[in-house]
């Protein structure tokens, strides 16, 4: 009887002595297998230390930019600071020939129309002037003009349309002077009249004139219009006198 009890006991002791082998299942014996301990492994993070700058590198590092306040703009010079506005220098007044003694009361001024395409072919214009007030002479650019004897810089010259400098304003007026009809253009700069042009004719010639002045504008224009009222066409080829 004792022999039969020792056999199982010897078997169990032998199994325990053999180490942690898979236990054999015996009938009627309940075994509890403990769960294997899970080892938590913590990954060691790789860490690369930052390079420490050397003294030479520290010395060569550029300093941060400094802030420079913006300069206030210099105010633009005003008209007062620049002084008075320069005025145009006048050319010397025209030299007028001395009036001849016993001159006729009227002298003719004859020339080609300044608008030949709008005039009948073969015609000239003719006007009469008072030699006591006007003299025929050469202008500053070689043209023939009438110069007023009593009003310096008052002149009557042939004129054709051209562009005007910037800032000038033109006022138009249509008016008859004697037997001629004119488109009268008054050119002003700000409020100052610079000159007046007359473009017209007798229906056969179309020509233009410019009246210039510096002083006594009204008297200069009045005396010039007295001449413009005598405008008439004239044949360029004189006809034979029978």
């Amino acid at each position: 009887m004792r022999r039969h009890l020792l056999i199982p006991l010897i078997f169990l002791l032998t199994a325990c002595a053999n180490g942690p082998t898979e236990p054999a299942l015996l009938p009627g014996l309940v075994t509890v297998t403990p769960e294997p301990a899970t080892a938590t492994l913590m990954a060691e993070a790789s860490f690369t230390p930052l390079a420490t700058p050397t003294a030479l590198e520290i010395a060569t590092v550029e300093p941060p930019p400094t802030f420079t306040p913006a300069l206030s703009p210099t105010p633009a010079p005003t008209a007062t600071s620049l002084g008075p506005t320069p005025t145009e220098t006048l050319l010397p007044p025209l030299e007028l020939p001395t009036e001849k003694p016993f001159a006729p009361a009227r002298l003719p001024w004859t020339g080609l129309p300044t608008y030949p395409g709008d005039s009948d072919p073969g015609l000239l214009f003719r006007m009469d002037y008072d030699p006591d007030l006007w003299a025929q002479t050469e202008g500053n650019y070689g043209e023939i003009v009438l110069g007023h004897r009593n009003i310096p810089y008052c002149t009557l010259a042939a004129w054709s349309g051209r562009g005007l400098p910037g800032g000038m304003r033109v006022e138009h007026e249509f008016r008859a002077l004697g037997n001629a009809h004119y488109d009268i253009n008054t050119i002003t700069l700000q409020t100052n009249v610079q000159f007046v042009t007359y473009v017209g004719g007798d229906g056969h010639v179309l020509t233009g004139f410019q009246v210039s002045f510096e002083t006594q504008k009204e008297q200069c224009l009045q005396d010039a219009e007295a001449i413009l009222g005598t405008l008439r066409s004239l044949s360029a080829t004189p006809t034979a006198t029978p």
Side-chain angles (χ1 to χ4, degrees):
M1 186 61 152
R2 292 178 180 178
R3 185 179 180 182
H4 292 287
L5 292 174
L6 291 174
I7 293 174
L9 181 59
I10 293 172
F11 178 80
L12 289 174
L13 293 176
T14 304
C16 292
N18 290 336
T21 58
E22 188 71 25
L25 298 179
L26 298 179
L29 180 63
V30 177
T31 62
V32 178
T33 304
E35 294 182 0
T38 302
T40 303
L41 300 179
M42 300 197 53
E44 181 179 3
S46 62
F47 173 76
T48 302
L50 295 176
T52 303
T54 63
L56 179 61
E57 291 175 340
I58 295 176
T60 57
V61 173
E62 296 183 358
T66 58
F67 173 76
T68 303
L71 298 178
S72 301
T74 303
T78 60
T80 304
S81 61
L82 293 177
T85 303
T87 58
E88 183 180 357
T89 303
L90 293 176
L91 296 173
L94 298 178
E95 295 184 3
L96 304 180
T98 304
E99 183 181 1
K100 295 180 180 181
F102 308 107
R106 297 288 176 181
L107 290 177
W109 179 19
T110 304
L112 293 170
T114 58
Y115 295 91
D118 297 314
S119 303
D120 294 343
L123 294 180
L124 304 174
F125 73 82
R126 177 170 178 171
M127 299 187 300
D128 299 327
Y129 64 92
D130 183 356
D132 291 340
L133 293 179
W134 300 87
Q136 191 172 149
T137 186
E138 186 177 288
N140 294 317
Y141 303 101
E143 74 280 16
I144 299 300
V145 301
L146 294 180
H148 203 290
R149 293 187 181 277
N150 302 326
I151 306 175
Y153 298 102
C154 175
T155 59
L156 174 62
W159 181 86
S160 59
R162 59 180 180 272
L164 296 176
M168 289 194 174
R169 184 168 53 91
V170 181
E171 295 180 1
H172 296 275
E173 177 188 4
F174 293 93
R175 186 153 44 95
L177 298 175
N179 294 326
H181 293 80
Y182 290 97
D183 175 12
I184 304 173
N185 305 287
T186 302
I187 290 83
T188 60
L189 178 61
Q190 296 178 353
T191 58
N192 299 322
V193 178
Q194 303 297 303
F195 57 89
V196 181
T197 63
Y198 297 78
V199 179
D202 63 349
H204 300 284
V205 293
L206 183 68
T207 188
F209 301 94
Q210 175 178 321
V211 181
S212 302
F213 40 80
E214 289 296 329
T215 60
Q216 305 181 55
K217 173 178 69 73
E218 298 299 333
Q219 187 63 50
C220 178
L221 290 174
Q222 180 180 333
D223 293 345
E225 289 184 357
I227 300 175
L228 294 170
T230 66
L231 177 69
R232 58 196 182 276
S233 57
L234 177 70
S235 177
T237 304
T239 58
T241 302

